[in-house]
Amino acid sequence: MCLAGQVPAAPVTTADAVAMVAAGLGWLAKTDVASLTTIEQADCLRGLERAASMHTAARSRVLSAFSAQAGFEDDGQGSARTWLKWQTRITGGAAYGALGWMHRLAGHRAVGDALGAGEISESWARQICDWTDRLPEDVRGDADAFLLTAAAGGAELRDLGKMAEEIQRQCAQPDTDGDDGFAGRSLRLDTTFEGAGKLDGNLTPQCAAALQAVLDALGKRRGPEDERTKGQRLHDALEDACRRLIGSGCLPERAGQPTQIVLHMDLDRLRGLPGAPEAEAAWAGQATAGPGDDCDAQIVPVATGRVDPGVLDRLAAALLHGTPPWPAQDSPAGPGQNGPAVPAAFGPASTDQPGLDSQPADQPRPGGQPATPDQSRRTAAARRARAERAARRMIVKAAADLLSGPGGLASYLRTRLAPGTAASVSLPLDVGAATETIPVHLRRAVAVRDRGCRFPGCDQPVAACQPHHIIPRAQGGPTCLTNLMLLCTFHHLVAVHRWGWGIVLHPDGTVTATSPDGDKTLHSHGPPPAAAA
């Protein structure tokens, strides 16, 4: 154990070094840091940032050697990326990030050394590499060293950026091919849990300027009720821009057609729906559509199920041997009962039962020699295995015929919401027809009437709005002019469907919006007259 301020002994092996790192971080993760002084906490944070820089440099060096020696092949992997995902249990994006640092530091040795010494943070190191990557290769190393020296002397990141711009102006060769960083452009959208996405990319100056203009225009606050953070507003602005583009009819093979949502529901959930209104609300809540997405989208219900091996084994045993097809505690007759009697067709299997192997166990072998007891047992076991496989196939086929198709159980339950039984998601059992979207003529009528977002205080134009069912379709709300109004993306998907603002359209055309807690009520004037549009 080291005393306060005493430098610990240096590790002897890599295992010692990793163990010391883990021990130190583990101690910090468990200690009562609230009892430390703010000076101690500040020193700890600075030290952890230095440690993060050293970690990046060390990992890059080890990963570089591991990749060069194809160490991933020892575990049957084809690349370092797949090995990292498997053995270190990180996501694909994190694996790409680790490999990115490996390649980056291979071309920026001075930056790697500074990271390894904890002299610069990881984020600053990345920025310096991005700046000097634009320079000719023969001056890149000197530029790295110059910027690192300036950073060590106290220069801020803004100052380093100006220095890098001046170095580029002085050292960069004339752009003969007009590339302007075009070859380095990239964009990657990774989908994660439940369809959520992570966006990462390198944009050209033109693309960055265009995107910034879109985010600036659509990412502003929409009123006093808009409590979104800046990051949330920019996310919603990107979604709003995409929705507007889809609705404009400019996308190939879309022509402004609305989204189609496929609602997946397993048969277990379908069986549990007690009645039509409650079932419809429960279905909408358990499906993959987000709040508000079903206001103007085609809904395609899909009922699914899977084969339960335990149930299949019990049914096969009942078919072959006459045993009860379910445990006593699960019997429809109640706990402690054996349930209904096994039908005659499910009686004990005999060796002369049609459809099964009726060959006697002691049938003489070819050549007239009787079978030995061991051979008879093996023959009987093989016969039972074949019979069990045949029984399973017969049961699965019968169950599929019973559950699927227009007259099957899944369709009956979905359309009539009657009770039933099921399993979990896998095999589609019934697919319903797509629901109707808001007709074009009705959509136009709503747009002519409302002239823009009807939420009190919002002035977003028609092009930025979506039709909203005042009484949700899931609650039986009709698709008619009096039950529709235009709301912009924020007020529709966030304020109403996420935060729970209530909204009412009055006969005189005015709108009242009520906050979720009922403490705030906003009133609007009626829609502008058509002549003023």
Side-chain angles (χ1 to χ4, degrees), residues 212-229:
Q212 189 63 58
V214 170
L215 297 180
D216 289 343
L218 302 180
K220 300 175 182 177
R221 291 193 182 276
R222 301 290 177 84
E225 71 281 355
D226 189 351
E227 300 176 354
R228 296 172 296 172
T229 65

mmCIF file of all heavy atoms in Angstrom, residues 212-229:
data_model
loop_
_atom_site.group_PDB
_atom_site.id
_atom_site.type_symbol
_atom_site.label_atom_id
_atom_site.label_comp_id
_atom_site.label_asym_id
_atom_site.label_seq_id
_atom_site.Cartn_x
_atom_site.Cartn_y
_atom_site.Cartn_z
ATOM 1 N N GLN A 212 -26.649 23.112 -41.363
ATOM 2 C CA GLN A 212 -26.721 24.130 -40.325
ATOM 3 C C GLN A 212 -27.866 25.099 -40.587
ATOM 4 O O GLN A 212 -28.583 25.514 -39.661
ATOM 5 C CB GLN A 212 -25.399 24.896 -40.236
ATOM 6 C CG GLN A 212 -25.298 25.830 -39.046
ATOM 7 C CD GLN A 212 -25.353 25.076 -37.724
ATOM 8 O OE1 GLN A 212 -24.536 24.208 -37.462
ATOM 9 N NE2 GLN A 212 -26.332 25.405 -36.875
ATOM 10 N N ALA A 213 -28.060 25.462 -41.860
ATOM 11 C CA ALA A 213 -29.155 26.366 -42.203
ATOM 12 C C ALA A 213 -30.510 25.733 -41.873
ATOM 13 O O ALA A 213 -31.420 26.399 -41.368
ATOM 14 C CB ALA A 213 -29.086 26.733 -43.689
ATOM 15 N N VAL A 214 -30.628 24.407 -42.154
ATOM 16 C CA VAL A 214 -31.878 23.707 -41.848
ATOM 17 C C VAL A 214 -32.111 23.665 -40.342
ATOM 18 O O VAL A 214 -33.216 23.940 -39.852
ATOM 19 C CB VAL A 214 -31.844 22.282 -42.436
ATOM 20 C CG1 VAL A 214 -33.021 21.463 -41.923
ATOM 21 C CG2 VAL A 214 -31.864 22.329 -43.955
ATOM 22 N N LEU A 215 -31.069 23.322 -39.583
ATOM 23 C CA LEU A 215 -31.221 23.224 -38.131
ATOM 24 C C LEU A 215 -31.506 24.582 -37.508
ATOM 25 O O LEU A 215 -32.299 24.690 -36.566
ATOM 26 C CB LEU A 215 -29.954 22.615 -37.529
ATOM 27 C CG LEU A 215 -29.623 21.183 -37.961
ATOM 28 C CD1 LEU A 215 -28.336 20.715 -37.292
ATOM 29 C CD2 LEU A 215 -30.762 20.229 -37.633
ATOM 30 N N ASP A 216 -30.863 25.634 -38.024
ATOM 31 C CA ASP A 216 -31.125 26.975 -37.494
ATOM 32 C C ASP A 216 -32.574 27.395 -37.740
ATOM 33 O O ASP A 216 -33.207 28.024 -36.886
ATOM 34 C CB ASP A 216 -30.173 27.990 -38.137
ATOM 35 C CG ASP A 216 -28.736 27.819 -37.655
ATOM 36 O OD1 ASP A 216 -28.535 27.165 -36.617
ATOM 37 O OD2 ASP A 216 -27.824 28.337 -38.326
ATOM 38 N N ALA A 217 -33.094 27.037 -38.929
ATOM 39 C CA ALA A 217 -34.440 27.463 -39.281
ATOM 40 C C ALA A 217 -35.512 26.686 -38.526
ATOM 41 O O ALA A 217 -36.539 27.253 -38.127
ATOM 42 C CB ALA A 217 -34.655 27.313 -40.789
ATOM 43 N N LEU A 218 -35.280 25.391 -38.318
ATOM 44 C CA LEU A 218 -36.317 24.541 -37.722
ATOM 45 C C LEU A 218 -36.076 24.230 -36.259
ATOM 46 O O LEU A 218 -36.931 23.608 -35.621
ATOM 47 C CB LEU A 218 -36.420 23.224 -38.499
ATOM 48 C CG LEU A 218 -36.738 23.341 -39.992
ATOM 49 C CD1 LEU A 218 -36.800 21.953 -40.634
ATOM 50 C CD2 LEU A 218 -38.047 24.080 -40.205
ATOM 51 N N GLY A 219 -34.933 24.613 -35.717
ATOM 52 C CA GLY A 219 -34.587 24.250 -34.346
ATOM 53 C C GLY A 219 -34.842 25.329 -33.316
ATOM 54 O O GLY A 219 -34.353 25.224 -32.179
ATOM 55 N N LYS A 220 -35.626 26.354 -33.668
ATOM 56 C CA LYS A 220 -35.894 27.424 -32.712
ATOM 57 C C LYS A 220 -36.992 27.002 -31.741
ATOM 58 O O LYS A 220 -37.781 26.110 -32.028
ATOM 59 C CB LYS A 220 -36.334 28.692 -33.463
ATOM 60 C CG LYS A 220 -35.299 29.209 -34.450
ATOM 61 C CD LYS A 220 -35.850 30.388 -35.236
ATOM 62 C CE LYS A 220 -34.835 30.883 -36.260
ATOM 63 N NZ LYS A 220 -35.381 31.991 -37.085
ATOM 64 N N ARG A 221 -37.032 27.691 -30.604
ATOM 65 C CA ARG A 221 -38.115 27.448 -29.658
ATOM 66 C C ARG A 221 -39.439 27.885 -30.277
ATOM 67 O O ARG A 221 -39.504 28.887 -30.992
ATOM 68 C CB ARG A 221 -37.870 28.194 -28.350
ATOM 69 C CG ARG A 221 -36.687 27.632 -27.557
ATOM 70 C CD ARG A 221 -36.686 28.181 -26.147
ATOM 71 N NE ARG A 221 -35.541 27.679 -25.398
ATOM 72 C CZ ARG A 221 -35.517 26.503 -24.774
ATOM 73 N NH1 ARG A 221 -36.585 25.725 -24.829
ATOM 74 N NH2 ARG A 221 -34.447 26.106 -24.126
ATOM 75 N N ARG A 222 -40.511 27.155 -29.952
ATOM 76 C CA ARG A 222 -41.812 27.402 -30.563
ATOM 77 C C ARG A 222 -42.779 28.121 -29.635
ATOM 78 O O ARG A 222 -43.945 28.263 -29.967
ATOM 79 C CB ARG A 222 -42.418 26.064 -30.999
ATOM 80 C CG ARG A 222 -41.573 25.305 -31.996
ATOM 81 C CD ARG A 222 -41.543 25.969 -33.350
ATOM 82 N NE ARG A 222 -40.679 25.279 -34.278
ATOM 83 C CZ ARG A 222 -41.043 24.235 -34.998
ATOM 84 N NH1 ARG A 222 -42.273 23.758 -34.884
ATOM 85 N NH2 ARG A 222 -40.211 23.667 -35.836
ATOM 86 N N GLY A 223 -42.348 28.560 -28.485
ATOM 87 C CA GLY A 223 -43.262 29.241 -27.577
ATOM 88 C C GLY A 223 -42.887 28.970 -26.134
ATOM 89 O O GLY A 223 -41.952 28.207 -25.841
ATOM 90 N N PRO A 224 -43.596 29.575 -25.192
ATOM 91 C CA PRO A 224 -43.252 29.386 -23.769
ATOM 92 C C PRO A 224 -43.443 27.953 -23.300
ATOM 93 O O PRO A 224 -42.838 27.545 -22.304
ATOM 94 C CB PRO A 224 -44.223 30.343 -23.046
ATOM 95 C CG PRO A 224 -45.350 30.545 -24.009
ATOM 96 C CD PRO A 224 -44.741 30.492 -25.368
ATOM 97 N N GLU A 225 -44.274 27.184 -24.001
ATOM 98 C CA GLU A 225 -44.470 25.793 -23.602
ATOM 99 C C GLU A 225 -43.363 24.879 -24.098
ATOM 100 O O GLU A 225 -43.307 23.708 -23.727
ATOM 101 C CB GLU A 225 -45.826 25.284 -24.128
ATOM 102 C CG GLU A 225 -45.886 25.085 -25.640
ATOM 103 C CD GLU A 225 -46.074 26.383 -26.412
ATOM 104 O OE1 GLU A 225 -46.260 27.446 -25.753
ATOM 105 O OE2 GLU A 225 -46.049 26.354 -27.639
ATOM 106 N N ASP A 226 -42.464 25.402 -24.927
ATOM 107 C CA ASP A 226 -41.373 24.603 -25.495
ATOM 108 C C ASP A 226 -40.229 24.533 -24.486
ATOM 109 O O ASP A 226 -39.453 25.487 -24.328
ATOM 110 C CB ASP A 226 -40.897 25.223 -26.809
ATOM 111 C CG ASP A 226 -39.932 24.327 -27.555
ATOM 112 O OD1 ASP A 226 -39.503 23.313 -26.977
ATOM 113 O OD2 ASP A 226 -39.607 24.624 -28.723
ATOM 114 N N GLU A 227 -40.114 23.421 -23.793
ATOM 115 C CA GLU A 227 -39.091 23.253 -22.758
ATOM 116 C C GLU A 227 -37.982 22.306 -23.204
ATOM 117 O O GLU A 227 -37.220 21.797 -22.387
ATOM 118 C CB GLU A 227 -39.738 22.719 -21.478
ATOM 119 C CG GLU A 227 -40.813 23.639 -20.906
ATOM 120 C CD GLU A 227 -41.499 23.054 -19.692
ATOM 121 O OE1 GLU A 227 -41.217 21.876 -19.373
ATOM 122 O OE2 GLU A 227 -42.299 23.768 -19.052
ATOM 123 N N ARG A 228 -37.855 22.094 -24.501
ATOM 124 C CA ARG A 228 -36.818 21.197 -25.012
ATOM 125 C C ARG A 228 -35.431 21.818 -24.850
ATOM 126 O O ARG A 228 -35.271 23.041 -24.912
ATOM 127 C CB ARG A 228 -37.053 20.889 -26.486
ATOM 128 C CG ARG A 228 -38.325 20.143 -26.809
ATOM 129 C CD ARG A 228 -38.542 20.058 -28.308
ATOM 130 N NE ARG A 228 -38.744 21.380 -28.895
ATOM 131 C CZ ARG A 228 -38.800 21.614 -30.195
ATOM 132 N NH1 ARG A 228 -38.643 20.622 -31.053
ATOM 133 N NH2 ARG A 228 -38.999 22.834 -30.654
ATOM 134 N N THR A 229 -34.431 20.955 -24.654
ATOM 135 C CA THR A 229 -33.049 21.425 -24.653
ATOM 136 C C THR A 229 -32.630 21.737 -26.091
ATOM 137 O O THR A 229 -33.323 21.392 -27.063
ATOM 138 C CB THR A 229 -32.112 20.365 -24.069
ATOM 139 O OG1 THR A 229 -32.116 19.206 -24.934
ATOM 140 C CG2 THR A 229 -32.562 19.946 -22.674
#
